[in-house]
Amino acid sequence: MLKYKFNVGDALERVGFNMYKAKTTGLLSQETLKKIKNEDTNISAKSLNSLCLILDMQPKDIFIYEETAEDMEQKKKI
């Protein structure tokens, strides 16, 4: 399961990216910004690209993969 390594919502706010900026710049949709603030990692590749741009980071700096029991079961089916 993918998880954020840190509170990405707080990091976005520290660089001045909020709902207003999301609306006016179009870099992240308001829905994506809500997902990020709720620690939901189910975002599109386009949103991930924008997130990397805004935070000046690589995807590996933002996400970590932690294998869950469900992931292990899925892996057995492969």
Side-chain angles (χ1 to χ4, degrees):
M1 169 179 272
L2 284 178
K3 293 183 178 186
Y4 293 111
K5 286 185 172 181
F6 55 92
N7 190 318
V8 177
D10 286 349
L12 287 169
E13 287 183 17
R14 281 195 299 275
V15 296
F17 199 89
N18 53 28
M19 286 290 194
Y20 177 76
K21 285 262 183 142
K23 187 176 183 179
T24 58
T25 64
L27 285 173
L28 291 173
S29 70
Q30 291 181 342
E31 183 61 33
T32 298
L33 196 52
K34 286 178 189 175
K35 283 183 177 182
I36 290 168
K37 289 181 183 254
N38 290 324
E39 298 186 16
D40 181 350
T41 57
N42 189 18
I43 62 174
S44 70
K46 181 180 176 189
S47 294
L48 176 57
N49 186 70
S50 295
L51 195 56
C52 291
L53 172 75
I54 295 163
L55 296 177
D56 192 26
M57 294 181 171
Q58 295 292 316
K60 67 181 176 110
D61 300 326
I62 300 170
F63 294 104
I64 189 169
Y65 174 76
E66 291 181 357
E67 194 170 83
T68 63
E70 184 179 318
D71 293 333
M72 287 188 274
E73 288 299 316
Q74 288 286 352
K75 193 174 186 179
K76 288 179 186 177
K77 295 177 182 178
I78 297 175

